[in-house]
Amino acid sequence: MNASSDLRTMRIPLKHGAGQMPALGFGTLISDLSLTITATRDALEAGFRHLDCAERYANEREVGTALQTGLAAGGISREDIFITTKLWNTNHRPERVEPAFEASLERLGLKYLDLYLIHTPFAFRPGDDQDPRDQNGNVLYDSGVTLLDTWTAMESLVDHGKCGAIGLSDIGLNELKPLYESARIKPAVVQVESHPYLPETELLGFCKQKGIVFLAFAPLGHGMRPGLLEDPVVSAVAARVGKTPAQVLLAWAVQRGTGVLTTPRSAARARENFDISALPEDAVDEISRIQIRERLNPVVTTGVPGFIPKVRGA
Ligand SMILES: NC(=O)c1ccc[n+]([C@@H]2O[C@H](COP(=O)([O-])OP(=O)(O)OC[C@H]3O[C@@H](n4cnc5c(N)ncnc54)[C@H](OP(=O)(O)O)[C@@H]3O)[C@@H](O)[C@H]2O)c1
């Protein structure tokens, strides 16, 4: 990438799928339903053309409403927008994959998806309860289905022309490697937590080598304070380049060759988070040399989401 590239509109071609994913994406993990509508609308107005959704976020219908409003307002067509949603853990059984996909499409008001991800590699007991537990509060996993079984059903969705690409989320290298080897259609995208405190260098290296797009969530450390937004190195770079810490963190992610998802909840923050520009290479390196290591979301080890509100009726 050269320093004059416009990070705001940069698109990453999918090697193992159709289309190009805008590097800068808007995440819809917002618990309040009316806020989901306004934040999604504000993100589209600010210029975001990549929406990350999930069945588990229980707000696909509201994202769809905002999307239809954005499209109707003119100037944007469906083809301009890259839309992802995710298969939840309770739908890993192959016969549940297509119905779950169709239900998401219906809620979003779409005819096709650009990307469908397996939300986590953990299969939960199949059924309508998205958080099945035993009487002691332990998660009920489903040992009757493998990740490859689920992946094969995902491949059929691509075969039938229903989505342009498929991928995985919250997966580690040890699970990704065998799946990658066995897959007929290779994962186009892997979505994981990543930021300067969790650079996931080895996973990123594997993805780059295999032509898989690495998509980072929680780039601002989920807005937790104290945290990345107050990190002294990030703040010093921000002061030097005349940008905010959030803009610096998002630019860093794109400049290291990843896609990135952020969740601004107001129009002003949507404009701020979209208005990123390339950092000087020495600033990128300085941030990459931060030694603090911290994972914020335990979902990768359990399949239980760390940031998700209690689910409401979808
Ligand atoms: N695959 C998975 O398991 C998984 C897990 C988590 C997230 N995700 C996806 O990734 C997306 C992004 O994750 P995330 O929500 O953790 O992202 P994030 O952008 O790191 O964190 C969002 C938080 O940062 C704050 N924020 C946003 N812009 C800011 C700014 N300019 N200055 C200061 N604070 C700012 C917001 O605070 P306010 O609330 O004050 O606005 C919000 O609470 C999610 O929406 C979802 O789509 C996926």
Side-chain angles (χ1 to χ4, degrees):
M1 199 211 64
N2 75 55
S4 63
S5 307
D6 189 340
L7 304 190
R8 298 170 305 171
T9 52
M10 181 181 292
R11 285 181 175 253
I12 308 175
L14 300 185
K15 179 165 181 241
H16 303 300
Q20 301 191 332
M21 187 185 80
L24 183 55
F26 171 73
T28 64
L29 176 45
I30 299 171
S31 56
D32 183 282
L33 297 181
S34 54
L35 192 56
T36 300
I37 297 178
T38 55
T40 306
R41 196 198 56 210
D42 291 341
L44 288 169
E45 273 179 27
F48 284 89
R49 293 294 178 266
H50 168 179
L51 303 183
D52 180 74
C53 314
E55 166 187 2
R56 184 68 172 93
Y57 301 164
N59 61 358
E60 288 174 310
R61 214 172 278 290
E62 287 69 27
V63 174
T65 299
L67 186 59
Q68 299 316 321
T69 310
L71 296 180
I76 315 175
S77 70
R78 166 67 184 91
E79 292 68 39
D80 294 332
I81 307 181
F82 187 96
I83 305 173
T84 303
T85 197
K86 311 187 193 82
L87 177 85
W88 183 238
N89 299 355
T90 47
N91 289 321
H92 277 212
R93 294 261 171 164
E95 67 277 12
R96 295 180 70 89
V97 171
E98 187 171 352
F101 175 89
E102 292 292 349
S104 280
L105 269 191
E106 188 274 321
R107 287 189 292 265
L108 287 162
L110 297 175
K111 293 195 172 65
Y112 72 93
L113 270 179
D114 297 279
L115 177 65
Y116 197 42
L117 301 177
I118 299 182
H119 201 142
T120 87
F122 296 88
F124 288 2
R125 184 181 68 185
D128 292 336
D129 180 1
Q130 293 191 325
D131 190 22
R133 306 264 173 167
D134 67 16
Q135 63 275 28
N136 300 317
N138 301 312
V139 174
L140 292 165
Y141 291 96
D142 178 8
S143 58
V145 60
T146 67
L147 191 58
L148 187 57
D149 295 335
T150 310
W151 186 257
T152 305
M154 300 280 284
E155 291 175 329
S156 301
L157 299 175
V158 178
D159 292 339
H160 298 151
K162 296 186 172 188
C163 62
I166 50 178
L168 298 141
S169 170
D170 297 319
I171 191 153
L173 198 48
N174 290 343
E175 296 80 38
L176 177 61
K177 276 182 177 168
L179 192 281
Y180 177 86
E181 290 308 326
S182 307
R184 176 172 58 84
I185 299 176
K186 305 296 181 196
V189 175
V190 162
Q191 182 187 128
V192 292
E193 176 181 343
S194 189
H195 41 69
Y197 294 174
L198 190 67
E200 294 282 24
T201 313
E202 213 187 331
L203 181 60
L204 176 58
F206 178 81
C207 288
K208 284 187 174 174
Q209 189 196 353
K210 302 296 186 191
I212 301 170
V213 176
F214 180 109
L215 178 57
F217 73 72
L220 312 182
H222 201 53
M224 287 173 181
R225 292 173 190 270
L228 279 160
L229 289 165
E230 290 164 353
D231 180 274
V233 174
V234 174
S235 302
V237 168
R240 210 160 75 221
V241 301
K243 288 285 187 179
T244 67
Q247 290 168 330
V248 166
L249 288 161
L250 295 169
W252 176 83
V254 178
Q255 285 179 264
R256 70 195 287 256
T258 78
V260 65
L261 297 170
T262 183
T263 317
R265 288 161 214 258
S266 66
R269 278 203 170 154
R271 287 192 295 271
E272 176 187 337
N273 291 10
F274 188 72
D275 185 24
I276 60 172
S277 51
L279 306 170
E281 280 309 318
D282 62 338
V284 174
D285 293 344
E286 230 177 290
I287 296 168
S288 300
R289 283 196 299 271
I290 292 174
Q291 292 300 316
I292 298 169
R293 291 292 171 263
E294 187 181 14
R295 180 183 293 283
L296 300 166
N297 195 325
V299 62
V300 71
T301 49
T302 60
V304 178
F307 298 158
I308 296 190
K310 284 274 173 224
V311 74
R312 287 143 300 145

